[in-house]
Amino acid sequence: MERNDTPEQLSSFLERMRASEPEGGEAIIDQARELLEQAYVHLPDNQASGVDPLGLLAALQRELPRDRVQLYRELLAIFARLGDRHTHCSLPEPFTSQVAFLPFLVGEFFERGERYLAVLHSATRELERGDVLVSWNGAAMAEVLGRQQEWQHGSHLEARYAKAVQTLTFRPLALMPPPEEETVALECVSAMGARRTVRMNWRVADAAWLAQRFHSFLDGVSAAEPGQEHGFSARRVETSHGTFGYIRVNSFQERPEPFLGRFSRVLKDMPRSGLILDMRSCEDGIVQLGERLLQLFTPRRIQPEPFQFRVTELTLQLVRSVPALAGWREAVERAAAQGRIYSEALPLTTESEANGSRQKYAGAVVLLTSALTYSTAEMFAAGFQDHEIGRVVGTAPRTGGGGASPWPQSTLFKLSGRAAFRPLPRGPFFRVAVRRCRRVHARAGALLEREGVAPDVLHPPTRADLFHHDRDLLEVAGRVLTGMQ
């Protein structure tokens, strides 16, 4: 099917999708079951908590939907119940590149103990920045977000809520089902207190088209920060407590050496009065890069976080046949011989890599986190806290709870050679968490998965944070830095 790069009404898109029956439904479900049964590290924990994806997939296979959209909806629902953003089902074209959207973005803030949802950016004259949303098709926003949370892959309530806000009006159809309604009636209150109702239709467009036309709209204010580098941006911030360095890390998805080299050079220009590291929206990356970054902020020796495989026929095959996994062979075979579910934990980052560079910044450091801080950034936050490098200031009670190393289906097929893992020509593509990590030092053995990192200081976002460049949050960070001197 040809891709449609121009926006179309949601109803038109769904009509085209329903015109064709699902291809290879039985094979798709067989593949998902095999991947989860053999590779998914968190399967025993999910089953112990009452979520058995193997049973759910078997039930779906017994009553296989004939409608393509419905089959994919059921499949996405099963993976959403896992509560694991490292493990997901990504739908094929044309869903892969398509986004269902309304022409505005929202953000949340707290005021007098109450939670509010407001328009953060708008590409329509009908909504203005600062409008507070009251209802959505007659339902209170709390109810709407509650329904939206059911489709999020967060491992706990805070993470699911944060993703629900993030995807409320921009929904990637590769990972989420289409909206149930074609038209949305929004009741909102302006900054001046005027109440009105705005109606708009869901549309579907290619992600590249949206990125081109809504670049600044989607990226927000961080895109314009001076000192922008690949993966991070740097500047100085003024607070009532003084002037401090500020580095926002957007992604760890880069080779470690170039990233660490640029980061080290930027640290030389940061004021010695204190540094704010912001990883609130960093959701992906390479584990070794995050762990190697820790050494730049402390003279202490870094102990990398150890990871565990689940013992299955597949993991035994891999550690015996893949040279890069040979170091795990003894641990996995010993666990299998002893009848244990998991191998002993071994680090992905070597001791020499984690400690190969000297400290580059000797001032006080505060780390900013949120419920969207995930994966490598979350492992950095755990190491930052476990090595007592500085203080963690969070806008949520904990980070996203994603402590694992995921592999795409293509990697599992390449390493194992198993036909069951071969990507289907026009089928969904799967990614699976294959190793889970544990924390070190005072929290040694604690799992990062599901638990996340609890901040030392909690600061729920305010209206000034949402609309005035994190003004109150930076004041809190400045106060914490001053107290650390």
Side-chain angles (χ1 to χ4, degrees):
M1 184 176 291
E2 294 184 1
R3 284 170 51 174
N4 183 16
D5 291 341
T6 58
E8 64 179 316
Q9 296 296 321
L10 175 64
S11 57
S12 172
F13 175 82
L14 293 179
E15 185 177 348
R16 290 195 298 112
M17 295 306 101
R18 292 192 175 105
S20 59
E21 292 188 4
E23 300 181 27
E26 294 270 358
I28 290 170
I29 295 173
D30 284 340
Q31 187 166 85
R33 290 175 64 184
E34 185 71 10
L35 283 163
L36 293 176
E37 186 171 27
Q38 287 297 317
Y40 187 39
V41 69
H42 305 308
L43 181 62
D45 293 331
N46 280 100
Q47 292 173 326
S49 65
V51 178
D52 180 12
L54 304 183
L56 293 171
L57 287 167
L60 177 59
Q61 196 165 37
R62 287 193 296 270
E63 299 183 16
L64 198 64
R66 293 183 58 82
D67 181 279
R68 184 186 192 189
V69 173
Q70 186 59 33
L71 170 63
Y72 287 162
R73 187 180 185 88
E74 297 289 340
L75 197 58
L76 290 173
I78 291 172
F79 275 81
R81 290 191 64 183
L82 298 178
D84 179 5
R85 277 155 57 196
H86 281 134
T87 301
H88 64 232
C89 164
S90 181
L91 300 184
E93 290 289 4
F95 298 92
T96 299
S97 57
Q98 300 297 301
V99 177
F101 74 98
L102 297 173
F104 67 99
L105 290 178
V106 298
E108 67 165 342
F109 67 89
F110 289 79
E111 201 167 74
R112 295 184 293 276
E114 296 292 329
R115 187 177 234 160
Y116 295 92
L117 207 63
V119 175
L120 185 57
H121 301 285
S122 177
T124 174
R125 295 179 179 179
E126 297 176 286
L127 288 174
E128 296 180 355
R129 177 176 166 87
D131 286 346
V132 173
L133 304 187
V134 177
S135 69
W136 177 293
N137 285 342
M141 293 311 302
E143 179 184 341
V144 173
L145 287 170
R147 294 198 298 265
Q148 179 73 350
Q149 285 181 69
E150 296 177 3
W151 295 102
Q152 307 309 313
H153 290 225
S155 63
H156 51 71
L157 183 61
E158 294 91 344
R160 289 193 295 274
Y161 185 90
K163 294 300 289 185
V165 171
Q166 186 187 57
T167 61
L168 183 64
T169 59
F170 274 68
R171 303 184 185 180
L173 296 183
L175 301 174
M176 298 180 63
E180 294 183 353
E181 70 278 338
E182 295 180 15
T183 301
V184 176
L186 288 169
E187 184 183 7
C188 56
V189 178
S190 72
M192 302 302 293
R195 188 178 290 258
R196 68 189 188 282
T197 299
V198 175
R199 288 178 171 81
M200 55 187 66
N201 293 331
W202 282 101
R203 292 193 294 167
V204 177
D206 186 88
W209 183 92
L210 285 170
Q212 181 180 4
R213 285 157 180 78
F214 295 107
H215 175 70
S216 60
F217 174 88
L218 292 171
D219 287 348
V221 295
S222 64
E225 287 180 354
Q228 182 76 40
E229 290 275 3
H230 297 293
F232 64 91
S233 57
R235 59 188 172 96
R236 297 184 178 216
V237 295
E238 301 286 342
T239 76
S240 64
H241 303 279
T243 301
F244 304 102
Y246 173 91
I247 300 178
R248 185 183 185 100
V249 180
N250 303 307
S251 173
F252 281 114
Q253 201 66 263
E254 188 180 340
R255 289 190 302 112
E257 282 73 16
F259 184 101
L260 293 171
R262 292 196 312 275
F263 210 101
S264 296
R265 290 192 293 273
V266 166
L267 285 177
K268 292 180 181 179
D269 295 329
M270 292 290 100
R272 301 296 103 175
S273 53
L275 176 67
I276 301 168
L277 280 178
D278 189 349
M279 296 189 186
R280 285 174 295 159
S281 298
C282 189
E283 302 185 51
D284 61 6
I286 298 170
V287 173
Q288 290 88 338
L289 172 53
E291 294 203 300
R292 290 176 63 178
L293 186 64
L294 290 167
Q295 63 192 303
L296 304 187
F297 304 101
T298 179
R300 297 187 63 180
R301 186 166 184 81
I302 300 298
Q303 180 184 346
E305 289 186 341
F307 285 73
Q308 296 174 292
F309 273 113
R310 182 166 67 90
V311 180
T312 67
E313 291 180 8
L314 173 66
T315 52
L316 280 166
Q317 174 196 342
L318 294 179
V319 297
R320 289 167 176 166
S321 62
V322 179
L325 299 175
W328 295 84
R329 178 170 181 170
E330 183 179 347
V332 175
E333 287 184 337
R334 183 163 51 246
Q338 296 172 352
R340 290 188 282 116
I341 297 175
Y342 294 100
S343 73
E344 64 188 81
L346 301 174
L348 298 184
T349 307
T350 66
E351 289 273 350
S352 59
E353 287 175 331
N355 297 281
S357 300
R358 61 181 176 83
Q359 182 180 7
K360 298 295 191 297
Y361 187 82
V365 185
V366 157
L367 176 65
L368 303 183
T369 63
S370 75
L372 294 176
T373 304
Y374 196 75
S375 194
T376 298
E378 196 165 15
M379 295 170 197
F380 177 92
F384 186 88
Q385 198 173 63
D386 293 344
H387 291 87
E388 300 179 340
I389 293 173
R391 303 267 284 168
V392 178
V393 175
T395 58
R398 49 183 166 166
T399 55
S405 170
W407 288 354
Q409 174 184 349
S410 57
T411 297
L412 286 164
F413 172 64
K414 180 179 179 181
L415 295 180
S416 70
R418 295 193 176 196
F421 297 160
R422 185 192 302 273
L424 299 172
R426 299 183 66 179
F429 190 78
F430 300 98
R431 187 177 74 168
V432 181
V434 296
R435 290 178 287 201
R436 67 179 191 180
C437 71
R438 292 187 174 276
R439 299 184 67 171
V440 298
H441 292 307
R443 301 172 182 83
L447 289 173
L448 189 56
E449 185 69 25
R450 298 182 184 271
E451 298 302 321
V453 176
D456 303 302
V457 178
L458 177 63
H459 171 77
T462 66
R463 188 189 293 265
D465 289 329
L466 192 61
F467 297 112
H468 299 286
H469 309 290
D470 299 313
R471 187 175 67 195
D472 291 343
L473 174 60
L474 294 176
E475 281 293 317
V476 170
R479 185 183 72 238
V480 173
L481 283 170
T482 301
M484 294 169 61
Q485 302 299 333

